[in-house]
């Protein structure tokens, strides 16, 4: 297990949701740093930066929306899968979406890069569950 969650990467094109999620993360002392990307392409670049910045005892959690312009969540995962052998950091990816499509949940469950699926909005209960699952 990891001793701390160093960074959360929010990848979502909804500025209001990003603001609310960022405030929730700060209020609950969930992480030391929150980074926000508004599409999958920008998120992939941020993820690569995190891979160079974080140490082996630190963890990044990615909250990934599915429906975004430029590069959607599925495309983000496809591109990340091509890099996964070179990634050194500990990370967990959670789909954080308001989708009601059962195929999206099934697809997320079948994707080896995805740790879980959460329904928007992010809640204090979500954060408590994640802390209990990932921290010592």
């Amino acid at each position: 297990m990891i001793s701390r969650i160093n960074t959360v990467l929010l990848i979502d094109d909804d500025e209001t949701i990003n603001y609310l999620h960022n405030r929730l993360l700060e209020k609950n002392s969930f992480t030391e740093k929150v980074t926000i990307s508004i599409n999958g392409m920008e998120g992939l670049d941020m993820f690569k930066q995190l891979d160079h910045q974080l140490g082996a005892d630190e963890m990044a959690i990615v909250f990934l929306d599915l429906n975004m312009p430029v590069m959607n969540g599925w495309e983000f995962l496809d591109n990340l899968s091509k890099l996964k052998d070179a990634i050194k950091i500990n990370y967990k990816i959670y789909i954080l979406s308001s989708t009601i499509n059962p195929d999206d949940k099934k697809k997320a469950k079948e994707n080896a890069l995805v740790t879980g699926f959460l329904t928007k909005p992010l809640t204090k209960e979500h954060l408590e569950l994640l802390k209990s699952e990932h921290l010592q």
Side-chain angles (χ1 to χ4, degrees):
M1 280 211 176
I2 302 299
S3 60
R4 65 185 173 144
I5 298 170
N6 180 268
T7 301
V8 166
L9 175 55
L10 295 172
I11 307 175
D12 195 317
D13 62 320
D14 186 324
E15 291 181 31
T16 303
I17 285 289
N18 285 332
Y19 174 79
L20 294 173
H21 288 164
N22 187 32
R23 296 281 299 150
L24 179 73
L25 292 162
E26 288 175 354
K27 184 178 177 185
N28 289 280
S29 302
F30 185 77
T31 185
E32 296 174 21
K33 180 180 177 187
V34 177
T35 303
I36 298 172
S37 300
I38 57 169
N39 63 61
M41 185 175 291
E42 188 179 290
L44 193 61
D45 289 340
M46 297 279 190
F47 187 91
K48 290 176 191 175
Q49 289 176 21
L50 291 176
D51 189 44
H52 293 291
Q53 295 170 356
L54 298 180
D57 64 334
E58 297 170 311
M59 175 185 276
I61 290 189
V62 178
F63 293 114
L64 177 65
D65 188 27
L66 295 177
N67 300 311
M68 298 176 286
V70 182
M71 179 188 286
N72 69 33
W74 299 122
E75 293 166 328
F76 170 89
L77 291 168
D78 288 343
N79 282 280
L80 186 61
S81 71
K82 297 172 188 171
L83 306 172
K84 70 178 180 181
D85 292 336
I87 296 170
K88 300 178 296 286
I89 62 170
N90 293 306
Y91 67 94
K92 302 291 181 191
I93 298 175
Y94 289 88
I95 302 294
L96 183 58
S97 179
S98 57
T99 184
I100 58 171
N101 184 344
D103 291 337
D104 285 335
K105 291 182 179 184
K106 182 178 184 242
K107 189 174 179 180
K109 193 172 192 168
E110 293 170 350
N111 189 306
L113 294 176
V114 176
T115 302
F117 191 104
L118 303 171
T119 301
K120 283 183 189 178
L122 194 59
T123 65
K124 182 178 179 179
E125 291 75 22
H126 287 139
L127 298 181
E128 290 172 359
L129 178 65
L130 296 180
K131 278 184 180 180
S132 72
E133 288 178 357
H134 300 301
L135 298 179
Q136 292 179 352

